[in-house]
Amino acid sequence: MNLYFMKQITTTTFFFLAIALFSVITALPASSADKSTVKQIGSKAIEAKIAKMTLAEKIDFIGGYQQFNIRGYEHLGIPEIHIADGPVGIRNFGPSTAYPASIAIAASWDKSMAYKVGQAIAMEARAHNIHLMLGPGVNIYRLPITGRNFEYMGEDPYLAGELAKHYIQGMQGQRVMANTKHYVANNQEFDRNHTSSDMDERTLHEIYLPPYKASVDAGVATMMTGYNLVNGVHMSEHDHLNNKILKGDWGFSGFIVSDWVSTYDAIAAANGGLDLEMPSGAWMNQENLLPAIKSGQVKLATIDEKIRRILTTYDKFGYFSEANLKQNFTLDKNYVRHTALEAARGGMVLLKNANNVLPIKKDSIKRIAVIGPNADPVVSGGGGSSFTEPLHPKSLLTAVEEIAGQNIAVSHHAGIFTGSPMPKDIWQHSPFYIYDGDKKVKGVKAEFYLGKQLLGEKLLEKIYPQVILENEQLWADKAIPKTNFSVRFTSYFTPQESSYYSLAGQGDDGYRILLDDIEVISAWRDQGPTTAKKEIFMNAGQEYKVVTEYYQAGGGALIYQGIKKALLNAPPSEFKSAAITVAKKADLVILAVGFNPQTEGEAYDRSFELPYQQSQFIKDISAEHDNVIVVLNAGGNLDMKPWIDDINALIMAWYPGQEGNQAIAEIIFGETNPSGKLPASFEVNIEDNPSYHHYFDDDNDKAVFYGEGLFMGYRYWDTAKIKPRYAFGYGLSYTQFSFDKLTSNQQRYTADETVNINVTVKNTGELAGAEVIQVYVHDKKSRLVRPEKELKAFTKVWLEKGEQKTVTLSLNKAAFSYYDDESHQWLLEPGQFTILVGNASDNILLQEQIYIE
Ligand code: BGC
């Protein structure tokens, strides 16, 4: 047996223990679940239901229906189950409380907050009679450009696992099933259905699996398989990871659900551990499974086991005695809204505060300019299936106006145009033409070259009707290799009316667009499909030359070019100068920039650079004003190099949900003391991140080998002794803390003893605040190479001015073990360990040596 998981508590026991424990430590509102309503019918009654099902009913049952339901069978007393998207709110029923993105919950480093958010979301789920919420998401953050980092909980498996555990317990305490997704190593969005995440066994066990294991320990009801493959096998049919590890070694007793349309084979999925295909039985249906059962390729017992898992899970949640979760339930709307606000406050990370410019003293200023595209309207979440339409949206502009009060004048200008969504038909619209002699003909001329630089002899010249080209369309001619080539597309465009036009491109890999020989869109780098758009004013009747240059460096090949009349109604330069004028008149500039649901979201990876020339915009504003505070929306790090030295303060707001702007305004004016800490390391250059060199499918073999292995995030930076811009665990406060008196209960331990350490933390500053005590373990000597340090315990402590507290943190055997890929188990090698305590991975304040026998 796996040593890490020595203590096997059955999932059911843990589930109810957890509810009991947390109902003591978390104040629940009156409408919380009453555990006495969980009445179970037991396994005999479940077996009787399975026995009464016809084979056709059985097969139909393991495929979802109507997109977000699991079939009910009234005649068998099996209720219909309703599902909705999380993880940051109820996505599928119109406006709903939008909570901070999961990365912001991770940034709070606050387990009780994760619990409360899970619980509050479940309360809203109950009000809609939803039984299964699709969250939490725990895929590990490898690289900032991954499109869905904001839906996950950062780079550290322990942090993500602990927070997921509490979120699940909060949610399931309401009799709403949670769903941990996307199992496992779905760490990129580009080509997510076809790319295999390949890695060695130790990396898989130490970095990517632990948050899922933690979810199982928390009694999670369901697990969602990712779109991706791992080591060459699709996750929805991964016998080893689903049957052997998840259901076998870990004892997961719930059911495995596929991601929406991520099943690729009926027999392989049925035998590979998938219990429920969503959103429908496109593969696991009667047509495919009846013959497979008849021929013995799939055993009937395998189908029965899936149904048993699903029904047994329903029973744990009491659905056979009462499936209507709305019954006797009143939603405390104020409570859930307040929870969203508290969570937003806790997750903000103050990254820079030169000369303590923040918090702003109200009597020190008269005029504030709130500038930038994200100042108004609200940017609450990233794009894709998690996007929750906020029930009470509040923009940063409004929040600042409200808190500033009547004596401070607040002005606003967006300054830059990012908001107009990409017109859906921008590619197909294609009014580009070329010349055939004097005659204009619809089309685009393409010139192909070997290598990425459009140099040397032309490989091929041809005409395409439009630039909407993918893989085979680009590779159609023998002369064109699958990789390492470049193309120049030339065409002309003449607008019929004078107006702003959106010029757009999408490329995998690099591309740039030139208008009359001037580069207007730049995305010249290795990447998955990435979209960029720019609004440009064009005169009626004038001919413009449009050139798109593109190169293919590996993996899928894709290039699109499009143009369409834009929604923008003022020239960008005037727009920007107007913002600068507004900024210049103010004593303080709050600049709200970043990504938004159109530029960061599911199904694509984003750029490291801020889109829409926002970096230049920050530079332009800060060139004219010396008191600029930047508020950033993003799911992770981005290129700060062009402007970080020009600004005074930087607040990492992530996607903070509907109450996020209130929390930001409170922080700016000192009504809330920031206490968030980075759940991921922020590098200076993306190329410095070791995962960058193992992220793209350069050789186009539909596989990415995680060559950095264990050494990603702070495990890399610390071991290589290189400093990122901001370290994992870093975040500023308006007060100061001292750490003192690190003691452990003894110096020598046996392997099974728990190591308890005590630390005294004191608030030595002038304001009340919270500090995160981070405990890392360093193994002095080990047979296998280990990272310099690994996070193994943490707690967040609230302290009044001058107050001090002594906290105890426990480290069990798992905290000192590593995964041994020879014996295929977690191993604790006896020897000396250093316990490192600090308030950031690069700021260790206390240490203590212990010996484990
Ligand atoms: C996403 C899942 C989501 C599902 C249902 C998929 O595209 O990957 O996270 O739960 O859709 O909306």
Side-chain angles (χ1 to χ4, degrees):
M1 191 177 83
N2 196 319
L3 286 182
Y4 184 3
F5 312 123
M6 285 291 288
K7 221 169 166 208
Q8 280 287 359
I9 302 174
T10 69
T11 315
T12 327
T13 327
F14 197 97
F15 173 57
F16 290 107
L17 265 178
I19 293 172
L21 174 68
F22 278 93
S23 40
V24 176
I25 62 166
T26 311
L28 303 185
S31 54
S32 69
D34 175 1
K35 268 96 61 196
S36 66
T37 58
V38 180
K39 288 202 194 87
Q40 300 188 10
I41 58 167
S43 60
K44 260 199 190 149
I46 289 172
E47 290 307 322
K49 287 186 197 296
I50 299 174
K52 276 191 211 143
M53 274 178 158
T54 65
L55 183 54
E57 282 172 340
K58 286 180 180 176
I59 296 175
D60 287 352
F61 188 64
I62 58 171
Y65 92 120
Q66 294 174 338
Q67 294 293 320
F68 279 86
N69 290 329
I70 310 176
R71 269 186 187 77
Y73 291 137
E74 226 184 310
H75 61 290
L76 297 172
I78 298 176
E80 181 176 296
I81 293 301
H82 307 137
I83 307 175
D85 258 315
V88 300
I90 316 287
R91 196 253 304 179
N92 315 54
F93 294 84
S96 192
T97 309
Y99 296 84
S102 308
I103 191 88
I105 305 295
S108 77
W109 291 61
D110 184 349
K111 296 174 207 176
S112 63
M113 186 51 69
Y115 181 93
K116 282 191 194 170
V117 168
Q119 180 194 56
I121 292 175
M123 288 171 173
E124 295 193 74
R126 291 187 67 171
H128 291 287
N129 196 25
I130 291 160
H131 307 87
L132 170 53
M133 281 302 304
L134 301 177
V138 294
N139 294 90
I140 294 291
Y141 174 129
R142 288 178 76 211
L143 206 60
I145 61 171
T146 304
R148 293 181 91 173
N149 276 335
F150 67 90
E151 282 191 62
Y152 306 140
M153 292 178 170
E155 75 181 31
D156 184 73
Y158 180 77
L159 177 67
E162 284 301 295
L163 295 170
K165 213 184 228 180
H166 287 75
Y167 177 102
I168 290 163
Q169 287 162 341
M171 180 164 274
Q172 296 196 159
Q174 295 295 310
R175 294 181 59 221
V176 172
M177 297 185 284
N179 172 270
T180 302
K181 62 190 188 181
H182 306 89
Y183 183 67
V184 55
N186 188 176
N187 307 106
Q188 65 196 38
E189 285 303 294
F190 81 86
D191 207 18
R192 60 181 179 173
N193 298 60
H194 308 111
T195 305
S196 182
S197 303
D198 291 353
M199 67 191 87
D200 61 68
E201 190 184 343
R202 190 168 165 217
T203 301
L204 182 63
H205 280 267
E206 288 197 19
I207 306 288
Y208 297 94
L209 286 175
Y212 299 93
K213 171 64 171 67
S215 302
V216 173
D217 290 345
V220 73
T222 72
M223 192 75 82
M224 185 192 288
T225 57
Y227 284 108
N228 56 303
L229 307 88
V230 170
N231 291 336
V233 181
H234 267 294
M235 278 311 303
S236 51
E237 54 195 60
H238 211 300
D239 179 52
H240 181 71
L241 285 167
N242 295 338
N243 290 326
K244 161 87 176 53
I245 291 186
L246 175 57
K247 293 179 178 176
D249 296 352
W250 298 351
F252 171 60
S253 63
F255 56 99
I256 302 183
V257 182
S258 74
D259 199 343
W260 270 231
V261 197
S262 76
T263 306
Y264 308 87
D265 185 289
I267 296 172
N271 291 331
L274 184 67
D275 298 310
L276 177 69
E277 181 183 353
M278 290 306 293
S280 67
W283 290 92
M284 293 209 304
N285 54 32
Q286 293 190 42
E287 194 188 336
N288 294 332
L289 289 181
L290 285 174
I293 292 168
K294 206 164 168 201
S295 67
Q297 284 170 290
V298 175
K299 294 201 177 73
L300 180 57
T302 306
I303 306 292
D304 284 350
E305 176 57 17
K306 298 181 194 307
I307 297 165
R308 185 172 299 116
R309 279 178 174 274
I310 299 173
L311 298 187
T312 306
T313 308
Y314 289 2
D315 198 27
K316 275 183 201 155
F317 286 77
Y319 298 158
F320 291 117
S321 47
E322 180 51 79
N324 183 356
L325 295 180
K326 278 162 118 171
Q327 191 78 16
N328 302 324
F329 178 80
T330 320
L331 178 67
D332 184 338
K333 293 184 179 155
N334 290 334
Y335 176 78
V336 296
R337 188 170 178 190
H338 187 71
T339 302
L341 175 58
E342 269 192 293
R345 287 173 177 152
M348 298 287 163
V349 186
L350 180 63
L351 289 174
K352 179 171 179 179
N353 193 14
N355 307 321
N356 293 328
V357 54
L358 291 179
I360 299 301
K361 285 175 205 66
K362 282 191 187 168
D363 54 10
S364 69
I365 50 169
K366 297 216 155 31
R367 287 171 301 263
I368 298 179
V370 184
I371 307 284
N374 290 12
D376 189 41
V378 56
V379 173
S380 61
S385 61
S386 71
F387 184 79
T388 305
E389 194 65 47
L391 189 59
H392 299 287
K394 186 191 269 191
S395 70
L396 184 58
L397 175 63
T398 307
V400 169
E401 277 171 347
E402 283 175 6
I403 295 193
Q406 289 184 341
N407 297 335
I408 300 177
V410 179
S411 50
H412 165 66
H413 201 288
I416 200 160
F417 202 72
T418 60
S420 71
M422 186 77 74
K424 281 207 169 61
D425 60 348
I426 192 162
W427 317 115
Q428 285 77 16
H429 189 66
S430 194
F432 302 108
Y433 59 84
I434 49 174
Y435 284 96
D436 179 8
D438 287 345
K439 221 171 90 202
K440 289 179 184 172
V441 290
K442 180 176 187 266
V444 178
K445 181 177 81 181
E447 297 160 286
F448 286 77
Y449 298 86
L450 194 62
K452 296 189 198 172
Q453 296 303 335
L454 302 136
L455 296 173
E457 228 176 278
K458 237 183 260 175
L459 290 180
L460 177 78
E461 183 171 315
K462 73 189 271 186
I463 310 295
Y464 289 102
Q466 52 195 5
V467 186
I468 310 182
L469 302 169
E470 286 186 40
N471 303 327
E472 303 305 332
Q473 291 152 319
L474 283 158
W475 297 325
D477 290 275
K478 273 208 204 80
I480 308 305
K482 286 262 161 22
T483 184
N484 197 34
F485 66 88
S486 44
V487 194
R488 179 177 293 110
F489 299 94
T490 308
S491 60
Y492 298 87
F493 168 66
T494 304
Q496 306 209 324
E497 54 179 300
S498 295
S499 168
Y500 279 92
Y501 286 80
S502 296
L503 178 63
Q506 189 180 355
D508 170 3
D509 293 274
Y511 65 99
R512 54 190 170 219
I513 304 183
L514 294 87
L515 194 68
D516 283 343
D517 301 322
I518 293 168
E519 188 166 321
V520 287
I521 290 182
S522 310
W524 196 253
R525 62 178 160 254
D526 293 6
Q527 60 197 348
T530 307
T531 309
K533 169 170 77 74
K534 180 147 199 219
E535 276 70 33
I536 296 160
F537 187 84
M538 293 178 159
N539 299 312
Q542 183 178 332
E543 181 175 88
Y544 296 86
K545 185 169 135 200
V546 182
V547 172
T548 295
E549 294 180 340
Y550 162 73
Y551 75 81
Q552 150 68 341
L558 178 150
I559 180 71
Y560 289 9
Q561 168 193 297
I563 197 160
K564 196 164 183 204
K565 195 163 167 264
L567 302 173
L568 178 70
N569 58 7
S573 57
E574 272 179 32
F575 212 57
K576 185 150 93 176
S577 357
I580 294 172
T581 309
V582 173
K584 275 162 86 173
K585 288 190 192 140
D587 309 319
L588 168 75
V589 178
I590 300 171
L591 191 48
V593 289
F595 291 85
N596 63 30
Q598 277 91 47
T599 47
E600 184 169 25
E602 182 176 338
Y604 61 95
D605 286 340
R606 58 129 160 118
S607 56
F608 186 57
E609 296 79 26
L610 276 169
Y612 295 98
Q613 289 87 35
Q614 289 179 88
S615 278
Q616 187 58 46
F617 182 52
I618 303 173
K619 278 188 87 59
D620 292 344
I621 296 279
S622 41
E624 299 289 343
H625 206 291
D626 59 8
N627 199 7
V628 176
I629 293 162
V630 171
V631 176
L632 270 185
N633 290 118
N637 192 22
L638 45 84
D639 189 9
M640 299 176 181
K641 222 178 350 153
W643 45 262
I644 189 72
D645 295 332
D646 304 336
I647 63 160
N648 273 341
L650 175 61
I651 298 172
M652 188 67 199
W654 316 103
Y655 293 104
Q658 65 177 40
E659 309 296 329
N661 290 317
Q662 173 66 24
I664 295 166
E666 289 175 5
I667 285 176
I668 290 172
F669 289 99
E671 291 183 14
T672 287
N673 191 348
S675 62
K677 305 278 178 180
L678 287 183
S681 318
F682 276 20
E683 60 277 76
V684 175
N685 304 298
I686 191 167
E687 297 83 4
D688 303 341
N689 183 325
S691 304
Y692 178 80
H693 307 284
H694 306 283
Y695 190 83
F696 304 102
D697 178 16
D698 291 333
D699 55 4
N700 188 34
D701 64 352
K702 298 283 168 204
V704 174
F705 183 69
Y706 288 26
E708 77 279 18
L710 304 175
F711 297 94
M712 49 84 69
Y714 69 88
R715 285 167 169 77
Y716 164 76
W717 302 104
D718 287 354
T719 310
K721 304 211 174 349
I722 302 173
K723 278 218 167 253
R725 184 185 301 287
Y726 298 118
F728 173 79
Y730 168 83
L732 298 169
S733 167
Y734 294 152
T735 186
Q736 294 84 43
F737 300 93
S738 70
F739 283 38
D740 201 10
K741 297 193 202 122
L742 169 61
T743 54
S744 58
N745 43 351
Q746 53 206 63
Q747 248 60 54
R748 287 182 90 82
Y749 295 85
T750 61
D752 291 318
E753 274 178 302
T754 298
V755 177
N756 288 320
I757 58 158
N758 301 313
V759 189
T760 303
V761 197
K762 185 170 183 188
N763 182 345
T764 56
E766 296 303 311
L767 290 168
E771 180 61 303
V772 177
I773 300 167
Q774 305 170 26
V775 181
Y776 299 84
V777 168
H778 168 76
D779 191 348
K780 283 225 155 169
K781 195 163 156 242
S782 60
R783 192 169 52 83
L784 300 184
V785 57
R786 297 189 68 174
E788 180 65 20
K789 61 165 111 64
E790 294 166 70
L791 181 76
K792 294 297 173 185
F794 63 91
T795 189
K796 192 165 187 172
V797 186
W798 277 261
L799 295 167
E800 294 298 327
K801 174 184 166 186
E803 194 188 0
Q804 77 172 41
K805 276 184 190 159
T806 299
V807 294
T808 303
L809 294 115
S810 300
L811 301 164
N812 62 13
K813 195 169 186 172
F816 302 97
S817 305
Y818 63 80
Y819 187 84
D820 178 22
D821 46 10
E822 271 178 25
S823 58
H824 311 289
Q825 61 182 355
W826 287 86
L827 205 71
L828 198 169
E829 259 189 83
Q832 258 201 327
F833 293 87
T834 313
I835 296 169
L836 306 156
V837 178
N839 63 358
S841 61
D842 69 345
N843 195 31
I844 300 303
L845 300 162
L846 302 169
Q847 6 188 318
E848 167 97 351
Q849 310 292 333
I850 60 154
Y851 193 90
I852 301 187
E853 288 160 359

